Amino acid sequence: MKILFIDHECHKKTRSSRFFLDILRSDHEVTEFYYKKAYEVSPGRALVDWADVVVFWEFLPHRFNIAYPSKRCVYVPMYDNEWQSKWIWRRIGYSGMSVISFCGEVSRHARMCGVKNILDVKYALKPEDFSSAKTGRKVLYWDRGEFSESSVRSIFADGAVDEIKIQRGFLPREEYEKMRREYSVY
């Protein structure tokens, strides 16, 4: 099967979708298309025509034209990206698009909005792949704008941790994995 995988270019750096691409590539021919701005996806007609299935990672191609009508489309939403929108999920349900969900809350909301084709999955890295001799009480917080730095620091009582590192922005996957090995709480 030929799969067109559409993703935001920030994931080329973070490689957060890499595990999923590896799974797809194990049995299928996959072509990747990366875009710069959400909801402004235009891989071109030739790529869409080439594919048997189009997979949208995190964002749909457009707020109104959410799929390619002549193609089997699959949406893989992220918890932190507009998953609570009712009208988009109702459009997904109406379109017949399939959804692969890694989050029970997203799945519950999608079903409430009429989406029928949902595959609920859990994916977790093997802890032994990241084991290290973590010493001390070091906290790594990836700041995505949800909490202030003072709020994060206030979670831990004085003396409860030795270090709190606030990471802003995206990191290359290798650097991220290195940091995960250095900190005991992520």
Side-chain angles (χ1 to χ4, degrees), residues 5-21:
F5 184 83
I6 299 177
D7 193 1
H8 191 279
E9 71 175 5
C10 69
H11 297 141
K12 285 172 76 172
K13 183 175 185 179
T14 65
R15 295 178 54 201
S16 59
S17 57
R18 184 63 45 199
F19 79 95
F20 193 75
L21 280 163

Side-chain angles (χ1 to χ4, degrees), residues 82-96:
E82 294 192 57
W83 68 269
Q84 291 182 322
S85 168
K86 289 182 181 168
W87 70 273
I88 288 178
W89 283 106
R90 286 184 179 133
R91 291 178 65 82
I92 291 169
Y94 180 75
S95 75

Side-chain angles (χ1 to χ4, degrees), residues 12-76:
K12 285 172 76 172
K13 183 175 185 179
T14 65
R15 295 178 54 201
S16 59
S17 57
R18 184 63 45 199
F19 79 95
F20 193 75
L21 280 163
D22 290 344
I23 292 168
L24 293 177
R25 282 199 178 98
S26 67
D27 288 319
H28 308 288
E29 184 179 349
V30 178
T31 295
E32 299 168 48
F33 175 82
Y34 293 92
Y35 56 89
K36 294 179 189 217
K37 189 171 180 186
Y39 303 112
E40 292 185 12
V41 177
S42 54
R45 195 74 231 169
L47 268 179
V48 174
D49 288 345
W50 167 86
D52 299 311
V53 176
V54 179
V55 175
F56 302 103
W57 185 268
E58 187 174 12
F59 290 102
L60 294 166
H62 192 273
R63 289 187 187 274
F64 300 103
N65 301 319
I66 62 169
Y68 298 110
S70 62
K71 291 292 169 181
R72 288 178 39 206
C73 295
V74 177
Y75 177 41
V76 185

Side-chain angles (χ1 to χ4, degrees), residues 35-176:
Y35 56 89
K36 294 179 189 217
K37 189 171 180 186
Y39 303 112
E40 292 185 12
V41 177
S42 54
R45 195 74 231 169
L47 268 179
V48 174
D49 288 345
W50 167 86
D52 299 311
V53 176
V54 179
V55 175
F56 302 103
W57 185 268
E58 187 174 12
F59 290 102
L60 294 166
H62 192 273
R63 289 187 187 274
F64 300 103
N65 301 319
I66 62 169
Y68 298 110
S70 62
K71 291 292 169 181
R72 288 178 39 206
C73 295
V74 177
Y75 177 41
V76 185
M78 299 294 110
Y79 176 78
D80 61 348
N81 181 36
E82 294 192 57
W83 68 269
Q84 291 182 322
S85 168
K86 289 182 181 168
W87 70 273
I88 288 178
W89 283 106
R90 286 184 179 133
R91 291 178 65 82
I92 291 169
Y94 180 75
S95 75
M97 184 184 308
S98 298
V99 173
I100 297 175
S101 175
F102 294 100
C103 175
E105 276 299 302
V106 172
S107 298
R108 183 195 61 72
H109 182 75
R111 284 186 178 95
M112 181 188 76
C113 293
V115 178
K116 305 267 187 258
N117 304 327
I118 301 175
L119 174 63
D120 291 297
V121 294
K122 295 289 181 204
Y123 179 82
L125 301 171
K126 298 176 189 167
E128 58 269 19
D129 291 345
F130 298 94
S131 64
S132 65
K134 295 178 184 176
T135 58
R137 298 164 300 179
K138 296 171 64 173
V139 175
L140 172 61
Y141 175 70
W142 179 21
D143 181 4
R144 298 193 55 183
E146 289 89 2
F147 301 99
S148 68
E149 184 172 329
S150 61
S151 295
V152 172
R153 293 189 185 280
S154 72
I155 293 170
F156 301 96
D158 287 338
V161 297
D162 299 324
E163 176 186 347
I164 298 175
K165 169 149 178 66
I166 308 293
Q167 173 61 45
R168 292 180 175 87
F170 296 104
L171 294 171
R173 187 68 173 198
E174 295 76 22
E175 198 173 326
Y176 162 77

